[in-house]
Amino acid sequence: MKPQVWALALLTLTPACRRPATPEVAVQRRALSPLEATDLDPAPDVLRVQLTAARLPQGQPYLYAYEGQNPGPTLRAKLGDTLQVELTNQLEDATTIHWHGLHVPFDMDGVAWMREPVGPGQTMTYRFVLNQVGTFWYHPHFNTAQQVEGGLYGFLVVEDPTQPVADEELLLVFDAESEPSVGHSASGHGKIVTKWRVNGQPRPTYTATGGRTVRARLLNASNAGYLALSAEQLRVIAHDQGLLAQPESPAVLVLGPGDRAELELSIGAEGFTLQALPYSLNGGLAYGPPVPVLDVAVNAPAPAPAPLSWAFTGAPPRPDPGQTDLLYAFAGSDRTQTWLINGERFPNVTIESLPVGQGAVIEVRNLSSTEHPFHLHGMSFEILSVNGEAPAFRRVEDTLNLKIRDVVRLYVEPTEVGDWMAHCHILPHAEDGMMTVLRVSP
Ligand code: C2O
Ligand code: CU
């Protein structure tokens, strides 16, 4: 936003935002989206970035940060670009970077499986071509629960130059507010969160200009917290892997840990508030009041613009080919702190394999009495059905929440050879064993 615009914002707040407008608020507003990384490479199709992971000084709300920022710098590139990230590890612990949602070569995936992590004081260069469009994110995949809880994560946005450009982009990382303590039990299990931080701030205000379109990209980076968002009207244009086949207007948008979505906000005359609703992880009723997490204020009220002309395809879902190539059954219990896939606990798992370049069906069943977000590395999946019902439109994801007793059938077409992690993105569950390895063989 230009300085004049946010000065104007101070004068013309609508009654929807009742909090006092102070200069501090204006500064926060201008900086609400996480800062974007500086590109060190002059070539237009290369994004070269340095990321240093380090401990923050005491008294900060987070323990660790990339480049001293929470959330970490946003990496923004376009389809076909080469991303080069030079990681310097200044933690006392080993670390890695995992590119959540991207089909990268296996040695770039940032897992400490068949690969050494990056030790304290060491560096590592990640370099690969961005072949997918969407809102992705990066985070460590070594002592993952502790390091992500500590604040190590950021957005990776890959733009499609053929798509319309919104007047403004708003990037929102949701994280549960909790003690900056580390370790296992402190991170909690799948849980209901009543205190959210949005880009590190409790209930920030975003000021938009009437008559303009804002593309909001949302990420739930919390270790275990479920976010059930509602607003007067939600227009969801994209999930994990770019544009949807059709836009959706759900009453509630549920983002489990690791999940993303994009909203198109047509700003009119009135501001509004995004609320986090109570949510039950056990299929029962959810209790508690809605919690406001973000206020959108409007300056210069104007008629709301018409939606942009996104290239929605309206594509129907792929018909289920009928066979099941792989079956994953999720089970376990918080009481025993044991979480299993097919009765096995990572790393003592049977490695199933699929041939590269061939379509396959994975069926995932949740046999436990709580929900789990299923995440697969190295490939994304199309949803064939949830409990026998095909989605209304083609839907491709890399992270999918399973409610209790859900049976989901997923279609994959792996393009990269490697040993890909398949796990629950409730990070304490993954660390308590709910993780396995899917080998894609040449
Ligand atoms: Cu977001 Cu295995 O990770
Ligand atoms: Cu889980």
Side-chain angles (χ1 to χ4, degrees), residues 98 100 137 139 141 375 377 423 425:
H98 169 59
H100 183 123
W137 66 299
H139 64 77
H141 221 283
H375 171 52
H377 288 211
H423 64 91
H425 219 283

Side-chain angles (χ1 to χ4, degrees), residues 372 424 426 429 434:
H372 304 276
C424 171
I426 293 175
H429 287 185
M434 198 167 248

